[in-house]
Amino acid sequence: MPSVTLRVNGRAQTLDIDDPAMPLLYALRDDLGLHGPKFGCGLGQCGACTVIVDGEAVRSCQMPVSAAQGKEIGTLEGLGTPDALHKVQAAFIEEQAAQCGYCTNGMIMSAAALLAKTPHPDETQVREALAGNLCRCGTHVRVLRAVMRAANV
């Protein structure tokens, strides 16, 4: 059985895998027990499975686990802790930007990737960064306010 070593949230993890084409999402959730990234559509269209790979927001349902080897992978669990929230997580709470939770992982991870590259984006940049994330509840206005708050704009 082949193995793959992933660097997830700053820690190396070696996994035995049956299929190197298996989506990274499955390895994160099923093998590593990380439940921040969600299975939404399985087609890379909803954003629920978003993780940060080498600084870029990536749909983990579309990335083969073998392609993630040697890359730095960040999940929602690696952003902050209950005692030391990431600024995007704190802003989501302050703006009450989460309702059902379907989109929350994707929105937060996409926003964190944007703010790491562009600390003070304008509203257009935020909208573009979040455009691929679907929200069933319609909290887009609150999500936008939360990201702008996190950016201190």
Side-chain angles (χ1 to χ4, degrees), residues 86-105:
H86 184 277
K87 63 184 176 180
V88 176
Q89 292 169 316
F92 263 64
I93 292 168
E94 291 163 3
E95 293 294 338
Q96 298 179 8
Q99 285 190 13
C100 79
Y102 171 80
C103 72
T104 305
N105 176 74

Side-chain angles (χ1 to χ4, degrees), residues 16-80:
D16 292 326
I17 56 170
D18 292 326
D19 180 5
M22 173 180 75
L24 174 61
L25 174 64
Y26 297 172
L28 295 172
R29 290 184 61 83
D30 300 341
D31 296 321
L32 299 179
L34 299 170
H35 296 118
K38 307 281 187 245
F39 181 88
C41 66
L43 301 171
Q45 298 174 352
C46 72
C49 67
T50 303
V51 297
I52 298 173
V53 178
D54 287 345
E56 299 292 326
V58 171
R59 303 299 195 251
S60 64
C61 73
Q62 295 296 293
M63 179 178 225
V65 69
S66 59
Q69 186 159 300
K71 300 185 182 311
E72 188 64 40
I73 303 162
T75 69
L76 188 62
E77 292 87 349
L79 274 186

Side-chain angles (χ1 to χ4, degrees), residues 114 118 120-131 144 148:
L114 170 67
T118 308
H120 302 289
D122 61 29
E123 187 174 320
T124 300
Q125 291 170 304
V126 173
R127 287 180 182 275
E128 287 173 4
L130 300 179
L144 181 60
M148 297 304 285

